[in-house]
Amino acid sequence: MGELCRACVTHFPDVRGVGVAVMTGTARQVRYASDAVSERVERLQVLLGEGPCRDAFGMGGPVLAEDLEAAVWRERWPAFAGAALQAGAAAVFALPLRAGTLGVGVLDLYRDSPGALADQDLADALDFADAVTDLLLAEALPGDSSGDLDTRAGGHLAQRAVVHQATGMVSVQLEAGPEEAFARLRAHAFAAERELEAVAADVVARRLRFDELDDDPGRGALDSDGAK
């Protein structure tokens, strides 16, 4: 992770640092910070409950604050903008880390002077975000991926990786798009009164197929011997 993030900083002449936050809804963990300012920017968003990282994760798209002195950002983040400026960040660019329809976290870049991240620089930054996402998912699922997946390995990030994989499998089974597949996965978990990650693990382990389900949420589940 450190090597990839350092390469990201080196690639952009005006970017002074980078931070990676792993996020699941209201839970947030700083995974990497390249320097003291990056770490402060990440911690401030946790402490203050606002900032570009949180917005990018919630929206599922980049949040590009080119000048934290600008009124639009001071009004949007009244506590964070001033505190980030005092910490040494004049511009912050937050790029969501996504696996399909699921959010994994956010990659934050900062500048110590106002300025944009646009055109080819933005495209390159999004490529780095994709690489960070792949690395996080790979770290969360160590070893042989065949057979049953232990959703506890790697904590909540591993659980989200399982949900992402299950969404893809349900999409193929139902010949539907990923958003519909994820909605069906959540609906089944709700109807069956089970955790989403547990249902996803059954799909990945091939104990549950959505193309064999009817209105009964329990139908299609296989027992430990593989029999219905």
Side-chain angles (χ1 to χ4, degrees), residues 40 44 59 108:
R40 182 62 177 162
L44 282 170
M59 295 166 48
D108 283 330

Side-chain angles (χ1 to χ4, degrees), residues 15 17-21 23 28 41-42 45 50-66 68 73 76-77 80 91-98 105-111 117 122 125-126 129:
V15 169
V18 58
V20 175
M23 303 178 71
R28 187 174 188 277
V41 167
E42 298 301 322
Q45 297 182 84
E50 63 179 39
C53 178
R54 288 180 172 272
D55 286 4
F57 182 78
M59 295 166 48
V63 175
L64 309 176
E66 301 173 359
L68 290 176
W73 304 119
R76 187 166 177 173
W77 310 307
F80 170 79
V92 178
F93 313 106
L95 310 175
L97 307 176
R98 299 186 66 80
V106 176
L107 173 70
D108 283 330
L109 311 177
Y110 87 87
R111 292 177 47 136
L117 184 69
L122 178 57
L126 292 171

Side-chain angles (χ1 to χ4, degrees), residues 24-25 102-103 149-152 155-167 182 185-186 188-190 193-205 207-208:
T24 56
L102 304 176
L149 291 177
D150 182 356
T151 58
R152 292 173 296 179
H156 62 269
L157 184 56
Q159 293 175 345
R160 295 187 73 79
V162 171
V163 171
H164 171 56
Q165 185 176 356
T167 299
F182 182 53
L185 195 67
R186 289 194 303 174
H188 180 81
F190 178 80
E193 297 183 348
R194 301 182 64 202
E195 294 293 331
L196 177 62
E197 292 81 4
V199 173
D202 281 349
V203 173
V204 172
R207 292 189 293 264
L208 174 65

Side-chain angles (χ1 to χ4, degrees), residues 202-213:
D202 281 349
V203 173
V204 172
R206 294 174 173 81
R207 292 189 293 264
L208 174 65
R209 291 188 60 91
F210 272 63
D211 54 358
E212 297 175 354
L213 290 174

